[in-house]
Short mmCIF file of all heavy atoms in Angstrom, two decimals:
data_model
loop_
_atom_site.label_atom_id
_atom_site.label_comp_id
_atom_site.label_asym_id
_atom_site.label_seq_id
_atom_site.Cartn_x
_atom_site.Cartn_y
_atom_site.Cartn_z
N THR S 157 7.62 -9.43 43.98
CA THR S 157 7.39 -9.49 45.42
C THR S 157 8.07 -8.27 46.03
O THR S 157 9.23 -7.99 45.62
CB THR S 157 7.95 -10.73 45.98
OG1 THR S 157 7.76 -10.64 47.42
CG2 THR S 157 9.35 -10.98 45.66
N PRO S 158 7.41 -7.68 46.96
CA PRO S 158 8.05 -6.45 47.56
C PRO S 158 9.13 -6.78 48.61
O PRO S 158 9.90 -5.83 49.03
CB PRO S 158 6.89 -5.79 48.28
CG PRO S 158 5.91 -6.88 48.59
CD PRO S 158 6.05 -7.79 47.46
N PHE S 159 9.45 -8.02 48.96
CA PHE S 159 10.48 -8.33 49.79
C PHE S 159 11.75 -8.58 49.13
O PHE S 159 11.74 -8.89 47.91
CB PHE S 159 10.06 -9.66 50.57
CG PHE S 159 8.78 -9.51 51.26
CD1 PHE S 159 7.65 -10.12 50.74
CD2 PHE S 159 8.60 -8.83 52.41
CE1 PHE S 159 6.48 -10.05 51.40
CE2 PHE S 159 7.39 -8.70 52.99
CZ PHE S 159 6.31 -9.27 52.59
N PRO S 160 12.85 -8.37 49.61
CA PRO S 160 14.16 -8.56 49.08
C PRO S 160 14.32 -9.97 48.75
O PRO S 160 14.00 -10.94 49.51
CB PRO S 160 15.23 -8.13 50.11
CG PRO S 160 14.41 -7.25 50.94
CD PRO S 160 13.10 -7.62 51.07
N LEU S 161 14.85 -10.36 47.51
CA LEU S 161 14.90 -11.61 47.11
C LEU S 161 16.05 -12.41 47.80
O LEU S 161 15.88 -13.64 47.91
CB LEU S 161 15.24 -11.82 45.48
CG LEU S 161 14.15 -11.21 44.58
CD1 LEU S 161 14.52 -11.22 43.13
CD2 LEU S 161 12.83 -11.89 44.87
N SER S 162 16.99 -11.68 48.33
CA SER S 162 18.01 -12.39 49.15
C SER S 162 17.38 -13.01 50.35
O SER S 162 18.10 -13.92 50.95
CB SER S 162 19.07 -11.44 49.46
OG SER S 162 18.52 -10.31 50.29
N THR S 163 16.29 -12.50 50.92
CA THR S 163 15.71 -13.23 52.13
C THR S 163 14.86 -14.44 51.80
O THR S 163 14.39 -15.09 52.84
CB THR S 163 14.79 -12.14 52.82
OG1 THR S 163 13.67 -11.84 51.88
CG2 THR S 163 15.64 -10.85 53.09
N ILE S 164 14.74 -14.81 50.55
CA ILE S 164 13.94 -15.95 50.13
C ILE S 164 14.97 -17.19 50.15
O ILE S 164 15.96 -17.10 49.49
CB ILE S 164 13.14 -15.74 48.82
CG1 ILE S 164 12.34 -14.55 48.99
CG2 ILE S 164 12.44 -16.97 48.42
CD1 ILE S 164 11.61 -14.14 47.73
N ARG S 206 14.75 -4.56 39.56
CA ARG S 206 14.43 -4.38 41.01
C ARG S 206 15.64 -3.62 41.75
O ARG S 206 16.85 -3.85 41.23
CB ARG S 206 14.25 -5.82 41.70
CG ARG S 206 13.01 -6.37 41.26
CD ARG S 206 12.99 -7.77 41.85
NE ARG S 206 13.11 -7.79 43.36
CZ ARG S 206 12.28 -7.79 44.17
NH1 ARG S 206 10.91 -7.74 43.72
NH2 ARG S 206 12.54 -7.77 45.50
N ASP S 208 17.14 -4.49 44.37
CA ASP S 208 18.12 -5.41 44.94
C ASP S 208 18.70 -6.45 43.94
O ASP S 208 19.33 -7.38 44.37
CB ASP S 208 17.28 -6.13 46.03
CG ASP S 208 16.10 -6.86 45.47
OD1 ASP S 208 15.65 -6.54 44.43
OD2 ASP S 208 15.67 -7.98 46.08
#
Side-chain angles (χ1 to χ4, degrees):
T157 178
F159 305 105
L161 295 181
S162 59
T163 62
I164 302 175
R206 289 175 56 93
D208 58 341

